[in-house]
Amino acid sequence: MNSQMIQNMKNDAELVNSSLKKLYSDNCDEELLKIIEAMEYSLMAGGKRIRPIIALSFCRLFGGRDEAALPYAMALEMVHTASLIHDDLPCIDNDDLRRGRPTNHVVFGESTALLAGDGLLMDAYGVIAENKLVSAEINIQAIKVLSDCTGTHGLVGGEFIDAMGETLPLGLGSLKKMDEYKTGALIKASALLGCLAAGVSLSDERIKDVNLYAENIGLAFQIVDDVLDVIGSAEELGKNPGADEKEKKSTYLSFYTVDEAVKYAKELTRDAVNALSKYENSEFLRELAIYLTDRRN
Ligand code: GRG
């Protein structure tokens, strides 16, 4: 990725971060200070902001305004952070390091961490509903997209299959389904929310290409995540590597060697890039897809 693209990513992350920072600033309830601190602890802990960046990029691709996509970008990051907090809990993955910091429950205790995740998740829908730069009808569609990718056939379902895989090895079909729900769904939702913010209807012809791009980078993203868990370091990743092996989880590396998995991720990336090649101004999304496969964290 060239230096201009990297700067663009940083600018987008900064745009989202400055809005997220203000989110809870008008709270007057002294009783809630601790839970808000817990929510902000994880929300503002860094993170690549990939999902907001995808939403903003698709909105721009189709001529929309950043202001219209920004609330959706914030909501995506809030849901993602909620899922990370819950994923790290002792009853799920029991991890103590995330985004280079002790995990939420390690700092604030289990019940506060659980509620901090719940709070971010629920507040995300409120942020979407308050987007004044698109119609109420479009906000309802955005809420439906986010609900679909978070619920039974999204993050929750994917995490459930993941947990099942700790007691019984998953077949390749179940693994793909798990990754589609656990990781791919929110990435696809990010692209679709960007389109909605630009006024592109979900029945528009172009959505097929958007889905193709998002599905391919979503799967590639998870494959690279599996690879990094094996070859990455805690310093690079900001979380403990080797967690999948420790938990006896089925991953792509249960079926492929590291080299084969990387090759597969690159093929998926190529298909993603091809899906958008006919669109003017799709250069950033092309570079982003390649960056996501080559990343080291
Ligand atoms: C509370 C919505 C909600 C869900 C509960 C716990 C759970 C169900 C789902 C967890 C899903 C999960 C953690 C999937 C992993 C997705 C993934 C590859 C995360 C890493 O994303 P990055 O690399 O992380 O974008 P950063 O830190 O950069 O944001």
Side-chain angles (χ1 to χ4, degrees):
M1 188 178 262
N2 68 38
S3 57
Q4 184 55 53
M5 297 276 179
I6 292 171
Q7 192 53 50
N8 291 349
M9 278 183 79
K10 281 194 186 146
N11 293 347
D12 285 353
E14 195 35 54
L15 184 67
V16 176
N17 287 345
S18 57
S19 299
L20 288 174
K21 225 180 273 171
K22 289 186 218 134
L23 197 63
Y24 295 106
S25 59
D26 62 356
N27 165 61
C28 302
D29 290 331
E30 209 176 307
E31 297 83 349
L32 301 183
L33 288 178
K34 205 68 193 167
I35 188 170
I36 289 176
E37 193 192 330
M39 287 151 88
E40 289 185 330
Y41 173 83
S42 293
L43 195 58
M44 304 315 297
K48 296 180 288 297
R49 308 312 202 203
I50 294 306
R51 296 151 191 83
I53 290 171
I54 292 172
L56 288 163
S57 304
F58 270 99
C59 180
R60 289 175 194 142
L61 181 72
F62 295 126
R65 291 165 57 194
D66 284 359
E67 297 79 11
L70 193 54
Y72 294 174
M74 291 165 68
L76 288 158
E77 192 59 34
M78 292 164 77
V79 167
H80 170 56
T81 302
S83 79
L84 298 180
I85 296 173
H86 284 185
D87 193 48
D88 291 332
L89 285 170
C91 63
I92 303 200
D93 279 357
N94 195 18
D95 275 316
D96 57 14
L97 188 68
R98 171 73 72 176
R99 292 178 164 171
R101 293 179 170 192
T103 44
N104 202 291
H105 64 270
V106 168
V107 179
F108 297 96
E110 211 174 324
S111 56
T112 303
L114 179 71
L115 293 170
D118 289 343
L120 286 169
L121 181 61
M122 294 303 145
D123 288 346
Y125 289 94
V127 170
I128 292 187
E130 278 182 340
N131 186 355
K132 296 197 174 50
L133 287 155
V134 302
S135 66
E137 170 60 31
I138 290 185
N139 281 339
I140 290 171
Q141 287 183 38
I143 286 171
K144 168 75 174 139
V145 167
L146 198 60
S147 161
D148 284 348
C149 84
T150 344
T152 323
H153 294 92
L155 289 169
V156 170
E159 187 59 35
F160 183 76
I161 300 175
D162 195 351
M164 255 173 35
E166 284 178 32
T167 45
L168 207 67
L170 298 176
L172 192 55
S174 298
L175 179 76
K176 278 198 172 160
K177 189 175 288 181
M178 173 184 89
D179 289 340
E180 183 193 330
Y181 291 171
K182 196 179 77 157
T183 306
L186 194 55
I187 288 182
K188 189 153 128 183
S190 306
L192 293 176
L193 292 195
C195 295
L196 284 173
V200 176
S201 145
L202 296 180
S203 57
D204 189 288
E205 267 296 297
R206 292 170 287 180
I207 294 294
K208 281 196 202 112
D209 300 323
V210 174
N211 280 336
L212 204 55
Y213 174 89
E215 282 160 13
N216 280 299
I217 63 162
L219 183 51
F221 191 84
Q222 183 58 52
I223 293 172
V224 171
D225 202 72
D226 292 350
V227 168
L228 291 177
D229 188 65
V230 172
I231 66 166
S233 66
E235 291 72 39
E236 281 174 320
L237 300 177
K239 61 180 181 178
N240 295 317
D244 296 333
E245 171 66 26
K246 199 170 110 204
E247 302 286 330
K248 301 265 169 294
K249 287 197 177 184
S250 305
T251 73
Y252 274 86
L253 299 182
S254 319
F255 298 92
Y256 300 107
T257 64
V258 167
D259 286 350
E260 285 167 349
V262 169
K263 185 164 171 271
Y264 186 24
K266 283 188 190 296
E267 283 164 13
L268 292 162
T269 302
R270 187 200 53 213
D271 293 347
V273 167
N274 287 342
L276 295 186
S277 60
K278 64 177 173 225
Y279 296 97
E280 242 182 83
N281 305 326
S282 60
E283 194 192 350
F284 179 79
L285 282 160
R286 185 188 72 215
E287 292 295 319
L288 183 66
I290 295 166
Y291 157 81
L292 291 177
T293 308
D294 292 343
R295 71 200 161 97
R296 292 293 302 184
N297 73 5

PDB file of all heavy atoms in Angstrom, residues 151-180:
ATOM      1  N   GLY A 151     -26.756 -11.222  14.848  1.00  0.00           N
ATOM      2  CA  GLY A 151     -27.582 -12.217  15.534  1.00  0.00           C
ATOM      3  C   GLY A 151     -27.238 -13.663  15.223  1.00  0.00           C
ATOM      4  O   GLY A 151     -26.081 -14.020  15.000  1.00  0.00           O
ATOM      5  N   THR A 152     -28.305 -14.462  15.179  1.00  0.00           N
ATOM      6  CA  THR A 152     -28.143 -15.925  15.072  1.00  0.00           C
ATOM      7  C   THR A 152     -27.330 -16.344  13.855  1.00  0.00           C
ATOM      8  O   THR A 152     -26.550 -17.287  13.926  1.00  0.00           O
ATOM      9  CB  THR A 152     -29.542 -16.583  14.978  1.00  0.00           C
ATOM     10  OG1 THR A 152     -30.423 -15.855  15.818  1.00  0.00           O
ATOM     11  CG2 THR A 152     -29.498 -18.028  15.410  1.00  0.00           C
ATOM     12  N   HIS A 153     -27.555 -15.672  12.724  1.00  0.00           N
ATOM     13  CA  HIS A 153     -26.789 -16.032  11.524  1.00  0.00           C
ATOM     14  C   HIS A 153     -25.623 -15.072  11.305  1.00  0.00           C
ATOM     15  O   HIS A 153     -25.186 -14.842  10.181  1.00  0.00           O
ATOM     16  CB  HIS A 153     -27.706 -16.070  10.294  1.00  0.00           C
ATOM     17  CG  HIS A 153     -28.725 -17.162  10.390  1.00  0.00           C
ATOM     18  ND1 HIS A 153     -29.972 -16.957  10.927  1.00  0.00           N
ATOM     19  CD2 HIS A 153     -28.651 -18.476  10.083  1.00  0.00           C
ATOM     20  CE1 HIS A 153     -30.626 -18.099  10.935  1.00  0.00           C
ATOM     21  NE2 HIS A 153     -29.857 -19.033  10.426  1.00  0.00           N
ATOM     22  N   GLY A 154     -25.143 -14.510  12.396  1.00  0.00           N
ATOM     23  CA  GLY A 154     -24.005 -13.588  12.338  1.00  0.00           C
ATOM     24  C   GLY A 154     -23.043 -13.885  13.476  1.00  0.00           C
ATOM     25  O   GLY A 154     -22.751 -15.054  13.759  1.00  0.00           O
ATOM     26  N   LEU A 155     -22.611 -12.827  14.145  1.00  0.00           N
ATOM     27  CA  LEU A 155     -21.591 -12.989  15.196  1.00  0.00           C
ATOM     28  C   LEU A 155     -21.965 -14.033  16.249  1.00  0.00           C
ATOM     29  O   LEU A 155     -21.133 -14.857  16.627  1.00  0.00           O
ATOM     30  CB  LEU A 155     -21.387 -11.638  15.901  1.00  0.00           C
ATOM     31  CG  LEU A 155     -20.685 -10.545  15.107  1.00  0.00           C
ATOM     32  CD1 LEU A 155     -20.799  -9.213  15.822  1.00  0.00           C
ATOM     33  CD2 LEU A 155     -19.238 -10.894  14.896  1.00  0.00           C
ATOM     34  N   VAL A 156     -23.215 -13.970  16.699  1.00  0.00           N
ATOM     35  CA  VAL A 156     -23.611 -14.883  17.777  1.00  0.00           C
ATOM     36  C   VAL A 156     -23.564 -16.338  17.289  1.00  0.00           C
ATOM     37  O   VAL A 156     -22.977 -17.218  17.946  1.00  0.00           O
ATOM     38  CB  VAL A 156     -25.017 -14.507  18.318  1.00  0.00           C
ATOM     39  CG1 VAL A 156     -25.548 -15.581  19.257  1.00  0.00           C
ATOM     40  CG2 VAL A 156     -24.966 -13.154  19.022  1.00  0.00           C
ATOM     41  N   GLY A 157     -24.159 -16.586  16.122  1.00  0.00           N
ATOM     42  CA  GLY A 157     -24.143 -17.952  15.576  1.00  0.00           C
ATOM     43  C   GLY A 157     -22.726 -18.427  15.300  1.00  0.00           C
ATOM     44  O   GLY A 157     -22.369 -19.577  15.599  1.00  0.00           O
ATOM     45  N   GLY A 158     -21.908 -17.544  14.749  1.00  0.00           N
ATOM     46  CA  GLY A 158     -20.525 -17.913  14.438  1.00  0.00           C
ATOM     47  C   GLY A 158     -19.747 -18.259  15.693  1.00  0.00           C
ATOM     48  O   GLY A 158     -18.991 -19.231  15.740  1.00  0.00           O
ATOM     49  N   GLU A 159     -19.968 -17.463  16.730  1.00  0.00           N
ATOM     50  CA  GLU A 159     -19.263 -17.728  17.991  1.00  0.00           C
ATOM     51  C   GLU A 159     -19.752 -19.036  18.613  1.00  0.00           C
ATOM     52  O   GLU A 159     -18.977 -19.778  19.220  1.00  0.00           O
ATOM     53  CB  GLU A 159     -19.489 -16.560  18.954  1.00  0.00           C
ATOM     54  CG  GLU A 159     -18.707 -16.614  20.230  1.00  0.00           C
ATOM     55  CD  GLU A 159     -17.194 -16.653  20.018  1.00  0.00           C
ATOM     56  OE1 GLU A 159     -16.699 -16.017  19.070  1.00  0.00           O
ATOM     57  OE2 GLU A 159     -16.514 -17.322  20.814  1.00  0.00           O
ATOM     58  N   PHE A 160     -21.046 -19.333  18.424  1.00  0.00           N
ATOM     59  CA  PHE A 160     -21.584 -20.585  18.962  1.00  0.00           C
ATOM     60  C   PHE A 160     -20.930 -21.790  18.273  1.00  0.00           C
ATOM     61  O   PHE A 160     -20.534 -22.766  18.928  1.00  0.00           O
ATOM     62  CB  PHE A 160     -23.114 -20.621  18.787  1.00  0.00           C
ATOM     63  CG  PHE A 160     -23.724 -21.847  19.398  1.00  0.00           C
ATOM     64  CD1 PHE A 160     -23.865 -21.948  20.780  1.00  0.00           C
ATOM     65  CD2 PHE A 160     -24.130 -22.910  18.604  1.00  0.00           C
ATOM     66  CE1 PHE A 160     -24.391 -23.100  21.352  1.00  0.00           C
ATOM     67  CE2 PHE A 160     -24.662 -24.061  19.171  1.00  0.00           C
ATOM     68  CZ  PHE A 160     -24.801 -24.153  20.553  1.00  0.00           C
ATOM     69  N   ILE A 161     -20.794 -21.713  16.956  1.00  0.00           N
ATOM     70  CA  ILE A 161     -20.136 -22.811  16.217  1.00  0.00           C
ATOM     71  C   ILE A 161     -18.679 -22.917  16.673  1.00  0.00           C
ATOM     72  O   ILE A 161     -18.141 -24.009  16.869  1.00  0.00           O
ATOM     73  CB  ILE A 161     -20.220 -22.588  14.682  1.00  0.00           C
ATOM     74  CG1 ILE A 161     -21.684 -22.517  14.224  1.00  0.00           C
ATOM     75  CG2 ILE A 161     -19.490 -23.709  13.935  1.00  0.00           C
ATOM     76  CD1 ILE A 161     -21.867 -22.178  12.737  1.00  0.00           C
ATOM     77  N   ASP A 162     -18.054 -21.766  16.889  1.00  0.00           N
ATOM     78  CA  ASP A 162     -16.670 -21.724  17.367  1.00  0.00           C
ATOM     79  C   ASP A 162     -16.547 -22.487  18.696  1.00  0.00           C
ATOM     80  O   ASP A 162     -15.661 -23.330  18.887  1.00  0.00           O
ATOM     81  CB  ASP A 162     -16.276 -20.241  17.553  1.00  0.00           C
ATOM     82  CG  ASP A 162     -14.778 -20.050  17.682  1.00  0.00           C
ATOM     83  OD1 ASP A 162     -14.065 -21.049  17.795  1.00  0.00           O
ATOM     84  OD2 ASP A 162     -14.320 -18.899  17.668  1.00  0.00           O
ATOM     85  N   ALA A 163     -17.475 -22.197  19.607  1.00  0.00           N
ATOM     86  CA  ALA A 163     -17.436 -22.845  20.924  1.00  0.00           C
ATOM     87  C   ALA A 163     -17.654 -24.358  20.783  1.00  0.00           C
ATOM     88  O   ALA A 163     -17.003 -25.161  21.458  1.00  0.00           O
ATOM     89  CB  ALA A 163     -18.493 -22.225  21.830  1.00  0.00           C
ATOM     90  N   MET A 164     -18.555 -24.730  19.872  1.00  0.00           N
ATOM     91  CA  MET A 164     -18.813 -26.165  19.616  1.00  0.00           C
ATOM     92  C   MET A 164     -17.547 -26.865  19.158  1.00  0.00           C
ATOM     93  O   MET A 164     -17.281 -28.010  19.507  1.00  0.00           O
ATOM     94  CB  MET A 164     -19.851 -26.299  18.508  1.00  0.00           C
ATOM     95  CG  MET A 164     -21.215 -26.681  18.994  1.00  0.00           C
ATOM     96  SD  MET A 164     -22.423 -26.621  17.663  1.00  0.00           S
ATOM     97  CE  MET A 164     -21.556 -27.141  16.224  1.00  0.00           C
ATOM     98  N   GLY A 165     -16.777 -26.129  18.341  1.00  0.00           N
ATOM     99  CA  GLY A 165     -15.546 -26.681  17.767  1.00  0.00           C
ATOM    100  C   GLY A 165     -14.475 -26.977  18.803  1.00  0.00           C
ATOM    101  O   GLY A 165     -13.486 -27.641  18.508  1.00  0.00           O
ATOM    102  N   GLU A 166     -14.669 -26.470  20.028  1.00  0.00           N
ATOM    103  CA  GLU A 166     -13.668 -26.764  21.061  1.00  0.00           C
ATOM    104  C   GLU A 166     -13.835 -28.167  21.603  1.00  0.00           C
ATOM    105  O   GLU A 166     -12.913 -28.745  22.176  1.00  0.00           O
ATOM    106  CB  GLU A 166     -13.787 -25.752  22.204  1.00  0.00           C
ATOM    107  CG  GLU A 166     -13.194 -24.409  21.837  1.00  0.00           C
ATOM    108  CD  GLU A 166     -13.356 -23.385  22.952  1.00  0.00           C
ATOM    109  OE1 GLU A 166     -13.356 -23.765  24.136  1.00  0.00           O
ATOM    110  OE2 GLU A 166     -13.495 -22.201  22.616  1.00  0.00           O
ATOM    111  N   THR A 167     -15.048 -28.736  21.467  1.00  0.00           N
ATOM    112  CA  THR A 167     -15.261 -30.089  21.986  1.00  0.00           C
ATOM    113  C   THR A 167     -15.241 -31.130  20.865  1.00  0.00           C
ATOM    114  O   THR A 167     -14.909 -32.281  21.076  1.00  0.00           O
ATOM    115  CB  THR A 167     -16.609 -30.183  22.743  1.00  0.00           C
ATOM    116  OG1 THR A 167     -17.599 -29.529  21.955  1.00  0.00           O
ATOM    117  CG2 THR A 167     -16.526 -29.529  24.097  1.00  0.00           C
ATOM    118  N   LEU A 168     -15.602 -30.707  19.655  1.00  0.00           N
ATOM    119  CA  LEU A 168     -15.679 -31.627  18.516  1.00  0.00           C
ATOM    120  C   LEU A 168     -15.043 -30.941  17.309  1.00  0.00           C
ATOM    121  O   LEU A 168     -15.470 -29.846  16.963  1.00  0.00           O
ATOM    122  CB  LEU A 168     -17.172 -31.883  18.231  1.00  0.00           C
ATOM    123  CG  LEU A 168     -17.589 -33.176  17.574  1.00  0.00           C
ATOM    124  CD1 LEU A 168     -17.333 -34.344  18.525  1.00  0.00           C
ATOM    125  CD2 LEU A 168     -19.070 -33.105  17.227  1.00  0.00           C
ATOM    126  N   PRO A 169     -14.023 -31.540  16.671  1.00  0.00           N
ATOM    127  CA  PRO A 169     -13.410 -30.855  15.526  1.00  0.00           C
ATOM    128  C   PRO A 169     -14.445 -30.539  14.444  1.00  0.00           C
ATOM    129  O   PRO A 169     -15.333 -31.354  14.169  1.00  0.00           O
ATOM    130  CB  PRO A 169     -12.389 -31.878  15.007  1.00  0.00           C
ATOM    131  CG  PRO A 169     -12.208 -32.865  16.098  1.00  0.00           C
ATOM    132  CD  PRO A 169     -13.443 -32.855  16.941  1.00  0.00           C
ATOM    133  N   LEU A 170     -14.334 -29.356  13.869  1.00  0.00           N
ATOM    134  CA  LEU A 170     -15.287 -28.950  12.823  1.00  0.00           C
ATOM    135  C   LEU A 170     -14.824 -29.474  11.465  1.00  0.00           C
ATOM    136  O   LEU A 170     -13.625 -29.515  11.189  1.00  0.00           O
ATOM    137  CB  LEU A 170     -15.365 -27.425  12.749  1.00  0.00           C
ATOM    138  CG  LEU A 170     -15.850 -26.671  13.984  1.00  0.00           C
ATOM    139  CD1 LEU A 170     -15.766 -25.158  13.738  1.00  0.00           C
ATOM    140  CD2 LEU A 170     -17.283 -27.062  14.314  1.00  0.00           C
ATOM    141  N   GLY A 171     -15.787 -29.823  10.594  1.00  0.00           N
ATOM    142  CA  GLY A 171     -15.463 -30.119   9.200  1.00  0.00           C
ATOM    143  C   GLY A 171     -15.233 -28.806   8.460  1.00  0.00           C
ATOM    144  O   GLY A 171     -15.590 -27.730   8.974  1.00  0.00           O
ATOM    145  N   LEU A 172     -14.694 -28.897   7.244  1.00  0.00           N
ATOM    146  CA  LEU A 172     -14.387 -27.682   6.482  1.00  0.00           C
ATOM    147  C   LEU A 172     -15.653 -26.851   6.219  1.00  0.00           C
ATOM    148  O   LEU A 172     -15.627 -25.622   6.274  1.00  0.00           O
ATOM    149  CB  LEU A 172     -13.677 -28.059   5.174  1.00  0.00           C
ATOM    150  CG  LEU A 172     -13.039 -26.919   4.392  1.00  0.00           C
ATOM    151  CD1 LEU A 172     -12.060 -26.120   5.236  1.00  0.00           C
ATOM    152  CD2 LEU A 172     -12.318 -27.461   3.145  1.00  0.00           C
ATOM    153  N   GLY A 173     -16.776 -27.534   5.973  1.00  0.00           N
ATOM    154  CA  GLY A 173     -18.040 -26.832   5.704  1.00  0.00           C
ATOM    155  C   GLY A 173     -18.479 -26.018   6.916  1.00  0.00           C
ATOM    156  O   GLY A 173     -18.867 -24.849   6.791  1.00  0.00           O
ATOM    157  N   SER A 174     -18.408 -26.632   8.103  1.00  0.00           N
ATOM    158  CA  SER A 174     -18.816 -25.916   9.328  1.00  0.00           C
ATOM    159  C   SER A 174     -17.838 -24.785   9.621  1.00  0.00           C
ATOM    160  O   SER A 174     -18.232 -23.712  10.097  1.00  0.00           O
ATOM    161  CB  SER A 174     -18.843 -26.863  10.529  1.00  0.00           C
ATOM    162  OG  SER A 174     -19.792 -27.871  10.317  1.00  0.00           O
ATOM    163  N   LEU A 175     -16.557 -25.021   9.341  1.00  0.00           N
ATOM    164  CA  LEU A 175     -15.548 -23.972   9.566  1.00  0.00           C
ATOM    165  C   LEU A 175     -15.850 -22.752   8.697  1.00  0.00           C
ATOM    166  O   LEU A 175     -15.828 -21.610   9.163  1.00  0.00           O
ATOM    167  CB  LEU A 175     -14.147 -24.518   9.248  1.00  0.00           C
ATOM    168  CG  LEU A 175     -13.010 -23.511   9.431  1.00  0.00           C
ATOM    169  CD1 LEU A 175     -12.688 -23.316  10.909  1.00  0.00           C
ATOM    170  CD2 LEU A 175     -11.763 -23.967   8.687  1.00  0.00           C
ATOM    171  N   LYS A 176     -16.186 -23.036   7.429  1.00  0.00           N
ATOM    172  CA  LYS A 176     -16.490 -21.917   6.514  1.00  0.00           C
ATOM    173  C   LYS A 176     -17.719 -21.154   6.998  1.00  0.00           C
ATOM    174  O   LYS A 176     -17.770 -19.926   6.953  1.00  0.00           O
ATOM    175  CB  LYS A 176     -16.745 -22.448   5.099  1.00  0.00           C
ATOM    176  CG  LYS A 176     -15.458 -22.688   4.362  1.00  0.00           C
ATOM    177  CD  LYS A 176     -15.677 -22.787   2.860  1.00  0.00           C
ATOM    178  CE  LYS A 176     -14.332 -22.839   2.174  1.00  0.00           C
ATOM    179  NZ  LYS A 176     -14.340 -23.363   0.845  1.00  0.00           N
ATOM    180  N   LYS A 177     -18.727 -21.922   7.455  1.00  0.00           N
ATOM    181  CA  LYS A 177     -19.945 -21.271   7.949  1.00  0.00           C
ATOM    182  C   LYS A 177     -19.616 -20.416   9.182  1.00  0.00           C
ATOM    183  O   LYS A 177     -20.048 -19.280   9.303  1.00  0.00           O
ATOM    184  CB  LYS A 177     -20.989 -22.337   8.296  1.00  0.00           C
ATOM    185  CG  LYS A 177     -22.340 -21.737   8.609  1.00  0.00           C
ATOM    186  CD  LYS A 177     -23.403 -22.783   8.826  1.00  0.00           C
ATOM    187  CE  LYS A 177     -23.815 -23.465   7.533  1.00  0.00           C
ATOM    188  NZ  LYS A 177     -24.857 -24.474   7.738  1.00  0.00           N
ATOM    189  N   MET A 178     -18.809 -21.006  10.078  1.00  0.00           N
ATOM    190  CA  MET A 178     -18.421 -20.263  11.291  1.00  0.00           C
ATOM    191  C   MET A 178     -17.752 -18.941  10.913  1.00  0.00           C
ATOM    192  O   MET A 178     -18.093 -17.888  11.448  1.00  0.00           O
ATOM    193  CB  MET A 178     -17.446 -21.111  12.116  1.00  0.00           C
ATOM    194  CG  MET A 178     -16.864 -20.362  13.293  1.00  0.00           C
ATOM    195  SD  MET A 178     -15.653 -21.345  14.160  1.00  0.00           S
ATOM    196  CE  MET A 178     -14.157 -20.926  13.261  1.00  0.00           C
ATOM    197  N   ASP A 179     -16.828 -18.998   9.973  1.00  0.00           N
ATOM    198  CA  ASP A 179     -16.091 -17.780   9.606  1.00  0.00           C
ATOM    199  C   ASP A 179     -16.973 -16.780   8.869  1.00  0.00           C
ATOM    200  O   ASP A 179     -16.830 -15.571   9.023  1.00  0.00           O
ATOM    201  CB  ASP A 179     -14.858 -18.138   8.768  1.00  0.00           C
ATOM    202  CG  ASP A 179     -13.798 -18.813   9.624  1.00  0.00           C
ATOM    203  OD1 ASP A 179     -13.860 -18.652  10.855  1.00  0.00           O
ATOM    204  OD2 ASP A 179     -12.934 -19.504   9.068  1.00  0.00           O
ATOM    205  N   GLU A 180     -17.882 -17.321   8.070  1.00  0.00           N
ATOM    206  CA  GLU A 180     -18.819 -16.428   7.360  1.00  0.00           C
ATOM    207  C   GLU A 180     -19.652 -15.646   8.378  1.00  0.00           C
ATOM    208  O   GLU A 180     -19.859 -14.444   8.234  1.00  0.00           O
ATOM    209  CB  GLU A 180     -19.728 -17.286   6.467  1.00  0.00           C
ATOM    210  CG  GLU A 180     -20.703 -16.488   5.629  1.00  0.00           C
ATOM    211  CD  GLU A 180     -21.773 -17.373   5.020  1.00  0.00           C
ATOM    212  OE1 GLU A 180     -21.497 -18.572   4.742  1.00  0.00           O
ATOM    213  OE2 GLU A 180     -22.898 -16.872   4.849  1.00  0.00           O
TER     214      GLU A 180
END
